[in-house]
Amino acid sequence: MKVSYYPGCTLKSNAKNFEDSTLCALRELGVDVQELRRWNCCGTVYSLATDDLMRHLASIRNLIRVKEAGADSVMTLCAMCYNTLKRVNEKVKADPDSLQKIHKFMDEEKVAYRGDVKVRHLLELLREDIKFEAIGKKVKKPLHNLKVASYYGCLLVRPKEIGLDDMENPTVLDDLMAVLGAEPVDFPYKTECCGAYQTVDKPETVADRTYSILTSARSRGAEVVSVSCPLCAFNLDHRQKETAKKHSDFKKVPIVYFTQLLAIAMGCGEEALRLDLHYVDPKPLLRQKGLI
Amino acid sequence: MRTNISRKKIRDDFVKKIEELSGQKLLACYQCGKCSAGCPAVGEMDILPNQVIRYAQLGFKEELLESKAIWVCASCYTCNVRCPKGIKIAEVMEAVRQVLLRKRRDHVEVSKLSAEDKASVPAIALISNFRKFTS
């Protein structure tokens, strides 16, 4: 199976652990991942103002790169890239006038985009193409006795038109964790916003959200929280420093990408996990469970 | 508190501008309060999401433009997906922010962030923050 892949900015730096673990796991699952050539920033956030077409250009350019690669679909890992690329795609599909205006600003592009690329998240590839049952059969190192709370955040599930699961009660990550042998832990804050980009100018707000989200997961018995967005990962992991300063009863929890757990289960070595990029070190827990 | 509601305010261009930028029909809102009930950020807001809509309906321009709430909203879309009338509250918040940003009234001043501040957060945080909070 060949898949076109759009990484996005943070997958190449702070979230290298997300990328490396994914690439290793997909190799084990027999997927040939082809990174797009000349990809650019997706825009990070979908522009909500009706007249702000200019900010959709970045996404459209990436979709043109997919066409140039001869592919008809593109896979993303980052929840923000997924949301932005998919929403822009849906917008231009439903609104040909806007697409025509956008084209006028991209007259140097050789391909005229027509909304015919499918934007998919890795989770959709795993669930629909490879299928969880098949993944379960390929598990080399089951995640036995590991209690994992899956945090979905906002942009994988909202708005409804582009969400990849139920927007109020998603279970796709929990279902995946279950086939990997882990014990999924449900918790009420799994789709509650972490504060996102407020982390730049209001880190204390993010610290409060991190406190609520992680305290809730821990109270349900979670030993580790898995995420699918590099910004959520930063807020829930690195902002634990500020959270601990602000809330004296706060207990730290390791945060991992769901793909790091997938990679462990698929038998990938520690070098594919990049555990050095975490603020709260997940190694003691993973060692204790015999996973690394 | 005394509040003056006037036809003049309601018919102000500001109301039209918000409706145009957000693509929403403000009068569809019947103030059920579900948006505010589910918003994870209400604790830090001075006016609640349903009040933002009410103020926008009535043309309370200054109150909205000076509110903290519009900058606390992180467009998580919880309100949008729960509104029984299908109003996109996050889009209305964005429209109010845009009215300010288009007059170069930036919420975050990039030049005032230290190199250390910028280096301490990932690219995804900086780019999304600047896209939302600067002109």
Side-chain angles (χ1 to χ4, degrees):
Chain A
M1 190 189 301
K2 211 187 246 183
V3 174
S4 269
Y5 161 54
Y6 171 81
C9 60
T10 305
L11 273 287
K12 296 292 179 188
S13 54
N14 301 58
K16 200 80 185 91
N17 41 0
F18 195 4
E19 178 172 67
D20 286 2
S21 56
T22 301
L23 295 179
C24 180
L26 287 180
R27 208 160 35 238
E28 294 296 323
L29 288 165
V31 181
D32 176 10
V33 177
Q34 312 230 321
E35 184 175 320
L36 286 179
R37 292 183 61 219
R38 290 176 58 219
W39 57 265
N40 54 259
C41 172
C42 66
T44 64
V45 281
Y46 176 73
S47 179
L48 297 175
T50 50
D51 63 352
D52 196 0
L53 296 181
M54 195 52 121
R55 288 190 173 179
H56 297 321
L57 259 70
S59 285
I60 300 289
R61 284 194 199 279
N62 286 312
L63 298 172
I64 289 175
R65 301 285 97 81
V66 180
K67 296 292 292 178
E68 285 172 350
D72 57 5
S73 75
V74 63
M75 174 189 76
T76 64
L77 307 182
C78 167
M80 286 180 89
C81 298
Y82 167 74
N83 194 286
T84 308
L85 291 171
K86 193 159 178 185
R87 288 188 81 181
V88 171
N89 199 30
E90 294 305 312
K91 180 183 168 69
V92 300
K93 266 201 272 186
D95 182 359
D97 286 351
S98 290
L99 183 58
Q100 209 179 352
K101 276 186 201 152
I102 289 170
H103 276 310
K104 287 185 182 153
F105 289 98
M106 302 191 304
D107 53 2
E108 80 289 3
E109 294 287 358
K110 290 185 186 75
V111 174
Y113 187 64
R114 296 187 201 289
D116 48 348
V117 166
K118 211 170 167 196
V119 178
R120 303 182 79 202
H121 190 268
L122 165 66
L123 279 166
E124 294 174 294
L125 176 94
L126 296 174
R127 180 180 62 189
E128 284 138 37
D129 297 359
I130 305 174
K131 299 196 189 322
F132 286 173
E133 207 189 335
I135 295 173
K137 284 182 189 149
K138 287 197 173 175
V139 171
K140 288 182 189 142
K141 202 187 267 182
L143 309 175
H144 285 326
N145 304 316
L146 187 68
K147 295 189 181 72
V148 186
S150 295
Y151 175 75
Y152 296 81
C154 308
L155 300 179
L156 280 187
V157 291
R158 291 189 293 268
K160 194 179 184 181
E161 310 84 77
I162 65 105
L164 54 77
D165 201 353
D166 187 286
M167 60 186 179
E168 295 285 356
N169 186 27
T171 57
V172 57
L173 282 166
D174 298 274
D175 298 343
L176 178 63
M177 289 303 133
V179 300
L180 302 180
E183 259 181 68
V185 175
D186 193 25
F187 72 118
Y189 281 79
K190 64 182 176 181
T191 60
E192 190 102 343
C193 177
C194 68
Y197 45 78
Q198 310 267 8
T199 203
V200 177
D201 60 307
K202 303 177 202 70
E204 67 291 349
T205 296
V206 171
D208 288 341
R209 300 283 180 83
T210 297
Y211 175 76
S212 308
I213 293 164
L214 298 184
T215 305
S216 166
R218 195 179 252 284
S219 74
R220 299 298 295 264
E223 296 167 305
V224 59
V225 174
S226 89
V227 297
S228 61
C229 168
L231 189 48
C232 299
F234 175 79
N235 286 345
L236 295 182
D237 183 12
H238 294 259
R239 287 285 179 239
Q240 286 190 47
K241 193 176 169 188
E242 286 76 9
T243 308
K245 269 189 215 156
K246 226 180 151 185
H247 301 272
S248 57
D249 61 332
F250 177 69
K251 288 196 180 77
K252 289 181 179 167
V253 188
I255 308 295
V256 295
Y257 288 104
F258 74 95
T259 55
Q260 289 174 296
L261 296 178
L262 175 67
I264 291 173
M266 291 297 118
C268 294
E270 215 179 309
E271 69 287 350
L273 307 177
R274 289 299 307 268
L275 296 167
D276 56 308
L277 291 171
H278 297 248
Y279 171 69
V280 178
D281 189 0
K283 286 194 287 267
L285 174 74
L286 297 175
R287 258 188 224 122
Q288 183 206 326
K289 302 283 175 181
L291 296 171
I292 56 168
Chain B
M1 194 182 85
R2 206 181 157 89
T3 306
N4 289 320
I5 298 169
S6 69
R7 203 175 295 164
K8 192 169 160 269
K9 267 192 193 175
I10 295 171
R11 293 188 182 157
D12 192 274
D13 276 352
F14 176 74
V15 179
K16 281 187 217 119
K17 191 82 205 159
I18 296 299
E19 289 208 319
E20 197 185 300
L21 284 174
S22 66
Q24 304 304 302
K25 286 197 177 76
L26 295 168
L27 288 173
C29 170
Y30 49 34
Q31 290 293 308
C32 74
K34 200 163 177 154
C35 50
S36 300
C39 174
V42 279
E44 294 124 54
M45 287 182 175
D46 46 358
I47 49 174
L48 308 184
N50 69 299
Q51 292 175 312
V52 168
I53 304 297
R54 191 70 181 132
Y55 279 174
Q57 288 173 335
L58 299 175
F60 280 42
K61 184 177 170 180
E62 280 73 34
E63 286 81 352
L64 283 176
L65 295 180
E66 283 159 21
S67 73
K68 200 179 148 196
I70 56 166
W71 305 111
V72 170
C73 166
S75 305
C76 80
Y77 308 118
T78 304
C79 51
N80 282 18
V81 301
R82 290 180 183 170
C83 175
K85 295 286 283 179
I87 301 164
K88 292 173 179 164
I89 299 101
E91 271 79 340
V92 176
M93 295 272 192
E94 177 95 341
V96 182
R97 284 191 295 266
Q98 284 294 323
V99 168
L100 287 164
L101 294 175
R102 289 176 187 195
K103 290 185 176 154
R104 308 213 121 218
R105 299 252 311 266
D106 288 3
H107 178 62
V108 168
E109 285 185 60
V110 181
S111 58
K112 283 192 182 158
L113 291 174
S114 67
E116 200 185 15
D117 282 345
K118 282 185 268 188
S120 69
V121 294
I124 192 172
L126 286 175
I127 301 166
S128 48
N129 186 283
F130 296 164
R131 279 220 151 187
K132 282 288 195 179
F133 294 160
T134 67
S135 51

